[in-house]
Amino acid sequence: MEKNIEIKNACANNLKNISVEIEFGKLTVCAGPSGSGKSSFAFDTLVKKEKCVMENYPKVVKSISQRISDTSQKLEELEKLKKVENALIVIDEPLAGTIELEAIKYSKMMKELSRKNAVVVVEHRREIFKEADIVLVFGPDSGPSGGELLEITEGKEYLKKLPTITVSRIENKSNKKITASYRMFDEIKNYQVEFYLNTVTTVTGPRKSGKSTYLDAIYKALDKSCGASERRKNLLEVKNKNYIRRPHIIDATPVTKNAKSTVATYYGISKFLKDENLDITVAEAILFYSNKPLITRRLNHLQEIGLGYLKLNQPSYTLSGGECQRIKLAKLLCKKLGDRSVYIFDNPVRGLGEKNIEKVMLMFDRLVKNNNTILIAENDPIALQFVDKKIVLEN
């Protein structure tokens, strides 16, 4: 088996001179808050070898990229690696969007893969820490406040230190239901979907069970935008559509293809900034522009959903799928859309640590209490503690 990989003075992005060994025959998991440096270490350092000194770098390196947002595709790529030996294998969030049984299964698969390789996984889900030999804990926070290697520990020890999430909110109850029936939808005959208004509702189930299809069918049944009638030509009936004003579907696709776009330009605040200093985070900008409520009101939306660590001049194309969803939501909220909206998300807490999951789910709860409805496709165990209704799908 290959010698252990030695990394010295890694400083890509926000990393602060990280020096550590990656061991062959061990499953290593990178943990910590979103934006704490996990992916910078795993991909910019280990895969791209940027801004660091390395010794004993292996000849074979395999990676399952952070650019692959589809969980099924990631797990299919993982299956292909079963016979690989003596390689450095780096995997980004393979368990995002899986149910508990799937998360356990693939955690064991990565453990088995590590017996003949050095396997490094970026992950938040608790299931993998039961299998992890080594946990590299990054932090203490995100962006400029992160990038430190706080601790190297064992998976089971790391689990003991994780706090218990206590859900403190009043459950949303509703008897108002919308039902939509299709003659044919996505090649499925006699397709029907339904959900309760004024709740946080999740569509949950194993991969390839049709969660995204379910959300898409709801959105198209309610959509009133240009060309909507053509997109729902097989729609037979929608009951109680009059209860809502409009639907908004928010996915994890990149926010823009413009290479010059930044957080500030996409979010629409650059025109209000007379200063040229955009090399500051959202949290820093809230303090800097404290006397300009037009700016701080917008920035506060980003702060509330855990994006305070983003720099205003950060290129938009570098945002992760989860960051894209949250910045799209914040941009929508800035428009003061009012009530009776249905917000639809596919895996909204992908890539988030447990504290930020709580922030996002509580923001959803506040939207519901302002007479809106939240529909999500989500399997994350922490997120599921904050929902009012579950629609369970099976393969």
Side-chain angles (χ1 to χ4, degrees):
M1 191 171 289
E2 296 275 353
K3 294 181 180 179
N4 293 343
I5 306 165
E6 295 184 25
I7 299 100
K8 299 177 182 178
N9 302 322
C11 57
N13 299 323
N14 66 337
L15 296 179
K16 296 177 173 63
N17 295 315
I18 304 298
S19 296
V20 68
E21 284 191 10
I22 299 299
E23 298 185 41
F24 274 80
K26 298 289 181 69
L27 173 59
T28 299
V29 179
C30 298
S34 303
S36 61
K38 304 183 302 297
S39 294
S40 293
F41 177 76
F43 287 90
D44 295 300
T45 302
L46 293 182
V47 178
K48 299 178 183 178
K49 298 188 284 186
E50 293 181 358
K51 297 183 179 180
C52 66
V53 176
M54 280 201 184
E55 294 182 11
N56 304 325
Y57 197 70
K59 294 179 181 178
V60 181
V61 178
K62 303 283 186 180
S63 67
I64 299 179
S65 171
Q66 50 198 147
R67 293 298 174 192
I68 301 176
S69 60
D70 182 79
T71 298
S72 291
Q73 186 180 348
K74 281 187 178 179
L75 296 178
E76 287 164 8
E77 292 296 318
L78 178 60
E79 295 270 7
K80 295 176 184 178
L81 298 176
K82 283 183 176 180
K83 295 182 180 180
V84 173
E85 296 183 11
N86 295 318
L88 168 62
I89 300 173
V90 182
I91 310 170
D92 182 65
E93 295 179 12
L95 305 181
T98 61
I99 61 172
E100 185 179 12
L101 288 177
E102 290 173 326
I104 292 171
K105 172 187 173 181
Y106 286 102
S107 294
K108 291 182 181 296
M109 183 183 294
M110 286 181 278
K111 174 69 170 182
E112 185 64 29
L113 189 61
S114 71
R115 296 185 190 279
K116 296 181 180 180
N117 301 280
V119 178
V120 178
V121 182
V122 176
E123 189 54 78
H124 295 279
R125 290 284 293 266
R126 294 192 178 198
E127 293 87 347
I128 199 167
F129 296 112
K130 294 178 181 178
E131 304 293 335
D133 298 296
I134 299 169
V135 178
L136 304 180
V137 185
F138 290 85
D141 212 326
S142 308
S145 299
E148 299 177 28
L149 182 54
L150 301 178
E151 184 182 9
I152 301 174
T153 186
E154 296 179 354
K156 292 178 181 178
E157 290 301 313
Y158 179 74
L159 277 174
K160 292 177 183 177
K161 297 176 183 178
L162 290 178
T164 301
I165 299 295
T166 302
V167 180
S168 55
R169 72 181 187 107
I170 299 173
E171 183 182 356
N172 303 295
K173 297 181 180 180
S174 172
N175 294 319
K176 295 179 182 177
K177 183 192 289 187
I178 289 184
T179 303
S181 302
Y182 288 86
R183 181 184 299 106
M184 175 80 73
F185 190 87
D186 199 21
E187 301 183 355
I188 305 172
K189 292 182 179 179
N190 302 318
Y191 193 64
Q192 181 171 305
V193 291
E194 63 180 20
F195 65 97
Y196 283 93
L197 291 168
N198 305 116
T199 63
V200 179
T201 296
T202 183
V203 182
T204 183
R207 64 192 184 104
K208 298 185 178 180
S209 60
K211 299 185 294 294
S212 298
T213 300
Y214 200 97
L215 294 186
D216 191 37
I218 289 174
Y219 176 73
K220 287 178 178 175
L222 303 177
D223 186 19
K224 302 174 184 178
S225 62
C226 181
S229 58
E230 175 63 24
R231 292 191 289 275
R232 59 171 181 261
K233 57 186 177 183
N234 287 316
L235 182 66
L236 297 174
E237 182 185 31
V238 184
K239 294 181 180 178
N240 298 324
K241 185 178 179 179
N242 57 303
Y243 283 135
I244 72 158
R245 181 180 288 120
R246 61 175 69 84
H248 305 280
I249 193 162
I250 304 169
D251 59 22
T253 57
V255 295
T256 179
K257 294 181 180 179
N258 184 350
K260 296 182 180 180
S261 173
T262 64
V263 169
T265 58
Y266 172 77
Y267 199 54
I269 59 171
S270 58
K271 57 188 175 184
F272 302 116
L273 307 179
K274 296 181 181 179
D275 317 271
E276 295 301 320
N277 177 25
L278 297 182
D279 191 32
I280 56 175
T281 66
V282 169
E284 291 167 340
I286 289 173
L287 296 176
F288 188 79
Y289 295 105
S290 59
N291 63 339
K292 297 183 178 180
L294 185 64
I295 297 175
T296 55
R297 183 182 68 81
R298 291 179 173 231
L299 292 175
N300 279 332
H301 287 303
L302 291 176
Q303 178 87 312
E304 285 177 8
I305 49 177
L307 293 178
Y309 62 88
L310 293 181
K311 284 196 172 185
L312 297 183
N313 63 357
Q314 180 172 335
S316 299
Y317 66 83
T318 65
L319 297 175
S320 68
E323 288 169 340
C324 286
Q325 284 193 316
R326 286 183 287 159
I327 199 172
K328 288 176 185 177
L329 171 63
K331 190 173 182 179
L332 262 178
L333 295 177
C334 285
K335 297 179 180 179
K336 295 184 178 180
L337 298 174
D339 61 1
R340 294 190 295 127
S341 288
V342 177
Y343 295 93
I344 303 172
F345 294 83
D346 200 347
N347 288 326
V349 303
R350 175 188 296 273
L352 300 189
E354 293 180 357
K355 288 183 179 179
N356 279 331
I357 290 174
E358 184 177 10
K359 286 181 181 179
V360 170
M361 296 306 295
L362 289 176
M363 172 171 274
F364 288 167
D365 188 66
R366 289 196 296 273
L367 284 170
V368 167
K369 286 178 169 55
N370 285 325
N371 197 25
N372 296 291
T373 301
I374 300 291
L375 276 171
I376 61 175
E378 189 56 71
N379 287 323
D380 185 274
I382 302 300
L384 294 183
Q385 295 181 48
F386 292 84
V387 304
D388 304 300
K389 301 282 186 180
K390 294 180 184 178
I391 300 168
V392 182
L393 303 182
E394 298 179 357
N395 283 333

